């Protein structure tokens, strides 16, 4: 049975158009094709297509994608509800991702498999536009429908992604979901906490080393970039990387090669990069503390996870989800959230975001009752002689993080502790 729906295909390759007409004639009610993009306005008015398959380049010898971007904008301007799927070459992934930002529903890389194209068209059709939630409830809750839709579009590509958001908003959870939905999911994602790597260990950790490269180098060891070959490399807390080390990372990403310490042989790398930060890298670029060229290299797509205090509608569902998870894990009876507790959960601003909420619910399941702090950034007067040392330390760290606007290097400096010690305490206290 034919599926209702009209498709318009614009591509300068006549042979491809013939093949696509044969392929799609049993899928759609009507398939129209043209090699001339200037015919798009007329065909749009006459045929009222549901989906447009649009090539990015038409002029001979011109492959900058400007024509495709122009016609994409024209289609969305006149028919905003029409789904546009872009044709692109593998080398132009970044261009296609830019097209998605301009309103394209999806894109497909040439050469493509017929099954992949058909699946993308089915998803783009009006009858198929209702999107199922991501398998990870935490990811869906972490950013809402708009983020969910963008993840579905960019995950199958190799576009580099920057995830921003405060500590505890679920940036690593989102990175893992992107990897799970990618073409690289057959291999394990490799994670590096950039804020926890000292400058002296940076090269050996990322690039690896050869036996004898330094005193403790007893054997050859591959670096994290080498281990991520054919997979995803997740660089957490990228904003804490020093300026000199940013240059070394940029060089490796640009050349797509690394050299182990103590060796001269260049090793090619094929990785998909996902980075995360709780800092404003644009501001850091203006201040001269972060390289603009590295930011562009990392930031093909930026996904922002808002703080939990700005998504109050998600607090109760997440709390119930964590209660169920830890009740099952600890074999404890599930706790019930009464109206008073629900209101307390909503009133508390959760400076540690989802991570703090999760730790609070885990502790509640263990002790059998829910205890919610009254203030996210306590003042010194709020403390009393009976306040535990751990509680005072947590409050001090939370207050300092707030005062330093999330700059953990500055927080460590003010508290006069090592950055690694600060990271350990943040994780310990769920901040």
């Amino acid at each position: 049975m034919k599926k209702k729906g009209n498709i318009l295909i614009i591509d300068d390759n006549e042979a491809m158009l013939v093949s696509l007409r044969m392929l799609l004639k049993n899928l759609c009610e009507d398939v129209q094709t043209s090699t001339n993009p200037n015919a798009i306005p007329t065909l749009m008015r006459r045929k009222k297509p549901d989906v447009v398959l649009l090539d990015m380049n038409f002029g001979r010898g011109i492959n900058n994608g400007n024509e495709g971007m122009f016609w994409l904008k024209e289609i969305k301007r006149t028919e905003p509800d029409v789904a546009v799927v872009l044709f692109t070459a593998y080398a132009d992934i970044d261009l296609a991702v830019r097209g998605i930002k301009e309103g394209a529903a999806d894109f497909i890389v040439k050469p493509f498999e017929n099954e992949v194209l058909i699946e993308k068209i089915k998803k783009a059709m009006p009858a198929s536009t209702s999107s199922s939630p991501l398998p990870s409830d935490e990811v869906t809750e972490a950013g809402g429908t708009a983020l969910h839709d963008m993840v579905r579009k960019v995950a199958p590509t190799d576009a580099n992604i920057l995830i921003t958001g405060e500590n505890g908003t679920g940036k690593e959870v989102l990175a893992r979901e992107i990897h799970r939905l990618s073409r690289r999911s057959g291999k394990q994602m490799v994670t590096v906490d950039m804020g926890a790597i000292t400058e002296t260990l940076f090269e050996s950790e990322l690039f690896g080393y050869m036996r004898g490269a330094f005193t403790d180098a007893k054997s050859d060891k591959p670096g994290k970039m080498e281990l991520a070959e054919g997979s995803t490399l997740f660089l957490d807390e990228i904003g804490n990387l020093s300026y000199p080390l940013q240059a070394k990372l940029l060089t490796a990403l640009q050349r797509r090669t690394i050299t182990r310490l103590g060796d001269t042989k260049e090793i090619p790398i094929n990785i998909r990069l996902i980075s995360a930060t709780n800092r404003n890298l644009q501001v850091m670029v203006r201040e001269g503390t972060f390289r603009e060229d590295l930011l562009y290299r990392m930031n093909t797509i930026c996904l922002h996870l808002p703080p939990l205090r700005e998504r109050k509608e998600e607090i109760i569902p997440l709390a119930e989800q964590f209660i169920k998870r830890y009740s099952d894990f600890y074999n404890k009876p599930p706790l019930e959230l009464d109206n008073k507790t629900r209101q307390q959960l909503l009133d508390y601003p959760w400076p540690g975001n989802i991570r703090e909420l999760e730790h609070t619910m885990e502790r509640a399941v263990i002790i059998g009752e829910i205890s919610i702090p009254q203030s996210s950034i306590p003042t010194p007067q709020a403390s009393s002689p009976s306040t535990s040392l751990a509680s005072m330390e947590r409050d001090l760290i939370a207050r300092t993080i707030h005062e330093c606007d999330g700059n953990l290097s500055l927080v460590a400096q003010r508290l006069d502790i090592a950055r690694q010690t600060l990271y350990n305490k943040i994780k310990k206290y769920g901040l």
Side-chain angles (χ1 to χ4, degrees):
M1 179 179 179
K2 290 185 179 181
K3 184 182 180 70
K4 291 185 178 181
N6 300 331
I7 290 183
L8 172 61
I9 309 173
I10 310 295
D11 195 296
D12 61 354
N13 187 328
E14 181 63 46
M16 175 173 284
L17 293 180
V18 172
S19 298
L20 288 173
R21 281 196 296 267
M22 295 178 63
L23 174 67
L24 300 176
K25 65 180 182 180
N26 292 324
L27 176 68
C28 305
E29 194 172 44
D30 187 36
V31 180
Q32 292 293 314
T33 63
S34 176
T35 58
N36 180 12
N38 294 314
I40 289 177
T42 301
L43 292 171
M44 292 291 294
R45 289 193 300 270
R46 184 188 304 164
K47 295 298 180 181
K48 301 293 183 183
D50 299 298
V51 178
V52 176
L53 298 182
L54 177 66
D55 196 16
M56 297 297 288
N57 298 293
F58 297 94
R60 185 179 298 276
I62 300 175
N63 58 5
N64 57 19
N66 288 342
E67 280 188 286
M69 293 299 296
F70 170 80
W71 287 111
L72 167 64
K73 292 177 182 178
E74 283 298 297
I75 293 170
K76 299 306 290 185
R77 181 180 64 83
T78 58
E79 300 289 344
D81 294 332
V82 172
V84 180
V85 178
L86 304 175
F87 283 126
T88 184
Y90 181 80
D92 296 328
I93 292 287
D94 289 355
L95 177 65
V97 172
R98 184 158 62 91
I100 286 180
K101 291 182 178 180
E102 295 291 344
D106 209 336
F107 65 88
I108 186 164
V109 178
K110 297 178 181 179
F112 52 82
E113 296 180 1
N114 291 344
E115 294 79 5
V116 175
L117 175 65
I118 290 173
E119 185 62 28
K120 287 181 180 289
I121 291 175
K122 285 181 177 179
K123 289 181 179 179
M125 280 292 181
S128 307
T129 52
S130 58
S131 54
S132 58
L134 291 174
S136 169
D137 292 336
E138 290 178 39
V139 172
T140 305
E141 294 291 347
T145 304
L147 177 67
H148 166 205
D149 291 341
M150 181 60 78
V151 167
R152 285 180 53 250
K153 292 176 181 178
V154 303
T157 76
D158 276 338
N160 291 337
I161 294 176
L162 175 65
I163 304 173
T164 61
E166 294 180 3
N167 288 328
T169 49
K171 296 188 289 294
E172 184 172 351
V173 172
L174 181 58
R176 292 192 179 281
E177 184 65 10
I178 293 170
H179 173 70
R180 193 190 68 80
L181 295 173
S182 76
R183 294 177 294 184
R184 298 171 178 261
S185 59
K187 295 186 177 181
Q188 185 175 0
M189 184 178 84
V190 177
T191 299
V192 183
D193 186 346
M194 303 302 282
I197 298 179
T198 62
E199 297 210 12
T200 54
L201 294 178
F202 173 84
E203 289 186 83
S204 62
E205 184 74 12
L206 259 70
F207 307 148
Y209 55 81
M210 303 297 290
R211 178 181 179 184
F214 48 87
T215 304
D216 293 328
K218 305 299 184 184
S219 61
D220 298 349
K221 181 182 178 182
K224 292 298 179 67
M225 298 188 86
E226 193 176 342
L227 292 173
E229 173 67 20
S231 185
T232 301
L233 179 66
F234 176 55
L235 301 182
D236 199 8
E237 301 297 350
I238 190 71
N240 290 289
L241 193 61
S242 71
Y243 203 85
L245 297 186
Q246 293 171 27
K248 294 182 178 181
L249 174 60
L250 176 63
T251 299
L253 294 175
Q254 287 177 330
R255 294 180 179 175
R256 295 183 178 273
T257 63
I258 55 98
T259 302
R260 291 185 184 181
L261 287 177
D263 198 4
T264 58
K265 183 180 69 174
E266 289 189 341
I267 302 173
I269 55 171
N270 171 20
I271 63 171
R272 197 260 186 92
L273 180 66
I274 302 179
S275 308
T277 183
N278 65 337
R279 304 178 66 179
N280 189 325
L281 297 187
Q282 296 286 358
V283 171
M284 293 179 66
V285 167
R286 291 196 294 270
E287 294 174 345
T289 57
F290 200 88
R291 296 183 63 102
E292 187 174 28
D293 45 6
L294 177 58
L295 177 57
Y296 286 143
R297 176 70 59 172
M298 297 161 29
N299 191 23
T300 303
I301 289 290
C302 183
L303 302 177
H304 180 66
L305 286 169
L308 192 56
R309 62 182 173 275
E310 295 178 8
R311 298 180 279 126
K312 289 185 178 292
E313 71 280 0
E314 299 167 11
I315 292 176
I316 302 302
L318 279 172
E320 292 174 337
Q321 177 182 320
F322 292 137
I323 288 174
K324 183 180 186 307
R325 174 186 301 174
Y326 289 108
S327 295
D328 293 343
F329 181 81
Y330 292 110
N331 196 24
K332 295 270 191 176
L335 299 173
E336 295 292 335
L337 298 178
D338 58 29
N339 290 336
K340 179 181 178 181
T341 301
R342 287 171 179 263
Q343 192 59 51
Q344 288 177 332
L345 287 170
L346 294 174
D347 290 342
Y348 181 62
W350 301 106
N353 293 293
I354 295 175
R355 184 186 299 154
E356 183 181 11
L357 175 62
E358 180 177 5
H359 289 179
T360 300
M361 294 302 103
E362 180 181 12
R363 184 170 59 250
V365 168
I366 293 172
I367 66 176
E369 62 177 344
I370 299 175
S371 176
I372 303 169
Q374 298 301 308
S375 173
S376 61
I377 307 168
T379 60
Q381 291 78 8
S383 300
S384 66
S386 62
T387 302
S388 70
L389 182 61
S391 176
M392 293 173 64
E393 182 178 60
R394 181 195 183 283
D395 292 347
L396 175 61
I397 293 173
R399 186 166 62 251
T400 308
I401 290 174
H402 176 74
E403 292 171 353
C404 295
D405 196 26
N407 185 333
L408 298 187
S409 296
L410 183 57
V411 172
Q413 182 180 340
R414 285 196 182 182
L415 296 177
D416 195 25
I417 58 176
R419 193 165 59 181
Q420 181 59 57
T421 302
L422 174 63
Y423 274 93
N424 293 339
K425 290 183 181 295
I426 286 174
K427 291 177 181 178
K428 173 183 177 182
Y429 296 128
L431 295 173

